[in-house]
Amino acid sequence: MVYAKEENKKNVKISLKKAVLLLFLSIFVSVLIGFLITQFLIRPYLSKISSTKYSYSLKMPQLNYYLVKIGEYDNERDAAYNLNLLIMKGIYGESIKSNDKYILSVGYFIDKDEANNLSLKLNKSGIISSVVINNGPIYEISYEENSKDDVKTALDNINSFYNNLSHLSELSYKIAFGIASEKDIDETELYFKKYSEVPYNIRSDNNLKKIVESTMAINGHILNNFKDIKTSFELNDGNAYGLTQKLFIDSIMEYYSKMSSLK
């Protein structure tokens, strides 16, 4: 059957052509898919990697303070009652909530000796008190490799800010013991004025820039309140200690709040 043989040869040729065409199409599709993946997935990813800046972390120095405590209460009503008794005696105090307790505080200080001396004075007057340390949070922020100079600038800024707060703490202590003078108030205010005039320039890193902006803002708030401290001291109305104490602790709390928002 010659016809059948020819037909079979013809069918084999057609099948071979189909196989070659299919192979060609498979190769073409594979190359096309590879091209598309490279063009739209791999290249952008590699470009992103190559443009990514190495990041580092900075552990911020702690801002700790000592608290002179005269009581700890389970509910706000008892704390408020005992706070009113203190106020009636002409003693500054403040009720603060810590976890599930209400703590009655009569002083906040950077220096431990200042806190201990006030506590001793109160104990001698019949008001039992104790000193506890409040360890401030440790904040760790990220910064980019090209921001190393800015890191030094930010740390210098923070250390100066801490130092100024210690001077405010010292002023409050002197007022509490009746040994402060107008000169002491002026000199303490001068620290904050000088701080506000220092050009802390952060070029690029957002976190480091926010640190400087935050401490500068708090510094400005402190300066705005010195007029009231001076007036109270000159009038000898008994409120100067409370004003310095509130300004001191409010500034620390504001610092904590601003630093906790950084990444």
Side-chain angles (χ1 to χ4, degrees):
M1 298 281 295
V2 175
Y3 176 79
K5 289 182 179 179
E6 290 295 326
E7 187 69 24
N8 286 337
K9 288 181 180 180
K10 184 178 180 181
N11 289 336
V12 168
K13 288 181 179 180
I14 293 173
S15 297
L16 185 60
K17 287 181 178 180
K18 286 182 178 180
V20 171
L21 180 62
L22 184 61
L23 178 62
F24 175 77
L25 287 174
S26 298
I27 294 172
F28 175 78
V29 170
S30 298
V31 171
L32 180 61
I33 292 174
F35 172 78
L36 292 174
I37 290 175
T38 302
Q39 193 72 17
F40 296 101
L41 293 178
I42 296 177
R43 277 191 178 180
Y45 178 73
L46 291 176
S47 176
K48 185 177 180 181
I49 291 176
S50 63
S51 63
T52 300
K53 298 176 181 178
Y54 293 103
S55 62
Y56 300 81
S57 62
L58 167 67
K59 187 174 288 187
M60 307 276 283
Q62 277 182 287
L63 177 51
N64 306 327
Y65 64 90
Y66 293 90
L67 181 150
V68 182
K69 181 177 74 172
I70 65 168
E72 188 174 294
Y73 308 94
D74 293 325
N75 59 74
E76 189 175 8
R77 185 183 61 186
D78 289 345
Y81 173 78
N82 285 279
L83 177 59
N84 288 331
L85 291 179
L86 272 182
I87 295 173
M88 289 172 62
K89 295 178 181 179
I91 300 174
Y92 167 82
E94 190 174 42
S95 175
I96 56 174
K97 188 174 182 181
S98 178
N99 297 324
D100 58 343
K101 298 287 185 180
Y102 291 87
I103 297 173
L104 197 53
S105 167
V106 292
Y108 309 94
F109 301 96
I110 290 288
D111 188 87
K112 186 178 181 180
D113 288 339
E114 294 173 355
N116 283 335
N117 289 340
L118 179 60
S119 177
L120 182 61
K121 179 183 177 181
L122 291 169
N123 290 341
K124 287 181 178 179
S125 69
I127 300 174
I128 305 303
S129 63
S130 60
V131 174
V132 295
I133 185 172
N134 184 85
N135 292 308
I138 298 177
Y139 301 107
E140 190 166 341
I141 65 167
S142 61
Y143 68 91
E144 296 169 357
E145 184 181 27
N146 61 353
S147 301
K148 289 182 179 179
D149 290 339
D150 291 341
V151 169
K152 183 180 183 305
T153 299
L155 285 175
D156 288 343
N157 168 274
I158 291 171
N159 289 328
S160 295
F161 177 72
Y162 286 9
N163 184 59
N164 288 354
L165 286 179
S166 70
H167 287 294
L168 181 59
S169 170
E170 183 182 5
L171 174 63
S172 189
Y173 171 78
K174 288 181 176 180
I175 292 174
F177 279 79
I179 57 175
S181 65
E182 290 184 17
K183 182 182 178 182
D184 291 321
I185 297 175
D186 289 337
E187 288 179 348
T188 304
E189 182 182 24
L190 188 59
Y191 285 109
F192 293 95
K193 284 183 176 179
K194 287 182 177 179
Y195 180 88
S196 65
E197 296 168 356
V198 176
Y200 289 107
N201 296 318
I202 302 294
R203 292 185 296 274
S204 59
D205 194 283
N206 285 331
N207 274 339
L208 300 176
K209 190 178 296 182
K210 286 179 181 177
I211 291 171
V212 174
E213 290 173 350
S214 297
T215 53
M216 284 290 188
I218 299 170
N219 184 79
H221 174 71
I222 293 171
L223 276 174
N224 289 337
N225 282 271
F226 258 89
K227 183 179 178 181
D228 293 337
I229 295 171
K230 287 181 178 180
T231 300
S232 177
F233 186 81
E234 290 169 359
L235 294 174
N236 195 25
D237 60 7
N239 293 320
Y241 174 71
L243 290 172
T244 54
Q245 278 290 300
K246 183 168 178 54
L247 187 58
F248 174 74
I249 194 62
D250 284 354
S251 298
I252 291 178
M253 292 301 111
E254 188 177 354
Y255 173 80
Y256 288 167
S257 175
K258 289 182 180 296
M259 292 303 104
S260 65
S261 67
L262 301 179
K263 297 178 181 179

